Amino acid sequence: MGARFEELAWRETPIGAISLRRRRDPALQVEVYEVKLDDEYLMSSLFPVAEIELARLGLAELTGDALDVVVGGLGLGYTARAALDDPRVRSLLVVEAIEDVIDWHRRGLLPFAAGLAEDPRNRFVQADFFAAVAGDTGFDADAPGRQFDAVLLDVDHSPRNVLHPSHAAFYAPDGLRRLAALLRPEGVFALWSDDPPDVDFTAALVEVFATAQAHVVPFANPLTGGQSANTVYVARKAG
């Protein structure tokens, strides 16, 4: 069974101390993996449904094969793993600001994400997603300005509840336009949010993209015994 609680990794970063913890939940009889930033919980392996749906809903909007996809924010790897489960995905670029998070996957600390680091379609890029959008190069330094079929983003808690003030400008129309420029015609931008659908943010998406929709993703919450929900926004660029 192993230890009841173990801190697998810890590192001070420019946005706070990030840690990966594993604990045994005696009530659920499962191993739970959690990521914390200082004292704030970022993600838990108990609640992967919406992170998986971020990939599924985003990629479902696309037609054709040989898709090139960006995932912004690696975390526990559920979104990236779900994207690679789609056989149409030709290449995946995972943009993660914290090198230690990438290292968790390379070291195999997350058994449910096994194979992600070794998949030949996948490449980890240690970079600030938001700075990449705002800059001139884009996501791929080897191909400046490269466009993709889909960008799937899960970094901040929501467009209104960001991890760092510098992220806020991305969620306004000008920031979204810069993102749209990195998408191919009819490309898709999808975003995970911990908040209910936000009317103002949806309006910003509609201002930039041809279509936009907020999907409420319900999931069973084993901690409360009830149901919780996240939001996945999916917007598609004009052809």
Side-chain angles (χ1 to χ4, degrees):
M1 181 180 299
R4 175 82 176 270
F5 172 87
E6 184 178 5
E7 188 170 72
L8 300 174
W10 181 96
R11 180 68 61 90
E12 191 71 48
T13 78
I15 61 173
I18 193 163
S19 61
L20 173 65
R21 303 147 31 116
R22 179 179 63 203
R23 63 179 176 86
R24 180 75 181 176
D25 190 301
L28 300 173
Q29 291 296 301
V30 295
E31 295 278 324
V32 181
Y33 291 78
E34 297 167 327
V35 179
K36 293 185 69 178
L37 184 64
D38 292 330
D39 293 325
E40 187 174 12
Y41 285 93
L42 291 186
M43 57 195 70
S44 167
S45 61
L46 283 176
F47 313 111
V49 174
E51 294 171 41
I52 295 169
E53 285 297 286
L54 172 60
R56 192 190 69 80
L57 290 168
L59 298 182
E61 288 289 315
L62 295 167
T63 59
D65 298 319
L67 302 177
D68 298 315
V69 179
V70 170
V71 167
L74 175 55
L76 295 176
Y78 285 108
T79 300
R81 182 71 269 166
L84 288 174
D85 285 342
D86 189 322
R88 299 176 300 156
V89 173
R90 171 176 62 186
S91 73
L92 182 70
L93 206 65
V94 180
V95 181
E96 169 57 52
I98 300 172
E99 179 64 35
D100 292 70
V101 176
I102 297 173
D103 187 56
W104 301 344
H105 290 268
R106 288 180 172 150
R107 290 165 57 194
L109 298 181
L110 302 164
F112 43 82
L116 178 58
E118 294 78 21
D119 194 304
R121 295 171 294 165
N122 177 46
R123 176 156 60 101
F124 294 130
V125 175
Q126 194 271 310
D128 182 323
F129 175 93
F130 303 96
V133 173
D136 297 327
T137 303
F139 299 121
D140 191 347
D142 295 335
R146 178 185 173 191
Q147 292 185 315
F148 296 84
D149 297 291
V151 173
L152 314 173
L153 177 60
D154 178 6
V155 173
D156 293 312
H157 295 301
S158 74
R160 292 181 181 271
N161 186 6
V162 296
L163 295 180
H164 192 275
S166 63
H167 300 179
F170 170 81
Y171 299 100
D174 284 348
L176 295 172
R177 287 189 187 95
R178 295 189 71 91
L179 183 279
L182 298 172
L183 289 171
R184 292 175 179 143
E186 298 187 347
V188 167
F189 168 56
L191 171 73
W192 175 94
S193 171
D194 194 34
D195 289 347
D198 186 314
V199 172
D200 290 340
F201 179 65
T202 302
L205 288 172
V206 169
E207 184 175 331
V208 175
F209 293 91
T211 64
Q213 185 175 357
H215 300 266
V216 176
V217 180
F219 56 90
N221 188 329
L223 299 181
T224 65
Q227 194 174 75
S228 297
N230 294 147
T231 302
V232 173
Y233 298 90
V234 179
R236 188 167 60 183
K237 184 176 176 178

